[in-house]
Amino acid sequence: MATVRFRDETATGKPVTEFEVAGLPARMTVRELIRLRVREEVARHNARPSDRFNGLVRPDGAEADLNGYRFREPRRIDWERQAEIAERAFLSNGFFVLAGDHQVEELDEVVDLTTDPDLAFIKLVALVGG
């Protein structure tokens, strides 16, 4: 069984947040890894719902805020809906994923977690006026 480290980084490589999940199969697709990551972060949020969510992608009804997203009032999030949003964001270049030093390109690409247990998620930010 493998342990994977999910890490968010800025475009310049500065670490923002990270967490680990143990007991995973040795090989998983990028789609499975994104869904796992989203399910974990939503479960952490739903354990103590608040008006802020620090996750990979913006939930429905939330506004972008400094280092996360804000709701009008504390609420729970549907992880499956959030996973759909994340998959679409990956496909539209809203973020990219590095497995070790390799940028994964496709949702169905298989990652060997025994050789690349560190996954870096880099969110892309649209430039103002460009």
Side-chain angles (χ1 to χ4, degrees):
M1 300 305 263
T3 297
V4 66
R5 178 178 299 123
F6 294 96
R7 183 176 63 248
D8 288 346
E9 294 181 357
T10 65
T12 60
K14 178 182 173 192
V16 179
T17 61
E18 74 176 49
F19 64 92
E20 290 185 353
V21 178
L24 300 178
R27 298 168 55 86
M28 294 179 72
T29 66
V30 174
R31 180 187 319 273
E32 292 168 327
L33 289 163
I34 289 172
R35 292 181 67 82
L36 173 69
R37 181 232 160 103
V38 168
R39 188 175 69 227
E40 286 291 319
E41 68 191 15
V42 168
R44 291 172 189 205
H45 172 83
N46 287 345
R48 301 187 79 208
S50 74
D51 64 346
R52 295 195 41 78
F53 177 68
N54 294 319
L56 181 60
V57 292
R58 182 172 57 97
D60 292 328
E63 297 178 8
D65 195 26
L66 185 65
N67 300 323
Y69 307 99
R70 182 175 297 277
F71 300 110
R72 294 181 196 265
E73 58 189 46
R75 67 171 243 221
R76 296 176 57 84
I77 300 171
D78 175 359
W79 83 265
E80 290 176 317
R81 173 71 181 131
Q82 196 66 7
E84 291 170 8
I85 295 169
E87 286 180 26
R88 280 198 316 271
F90 178 84
L91 292 171
S92 64
N93 298 318
F95 65 90
F96 63 93
V97 179
L98 297 176
D101 293 330
H102 167 71
Q103 181 177 340
V104 295
E105 307 270 337
E106 304 290 329
L107 283 173
D108 294 324
E109 185 173 334
V110 176
V111 176
D112 183 342
L113 299 175
T114 60
T115 57
D116 291 320
D118 293 328
L119 298 178
F121 290 74
I122 294 95
K123 294 181 193 179
L124 303 178
V125 181
L127 298 175
V128 176

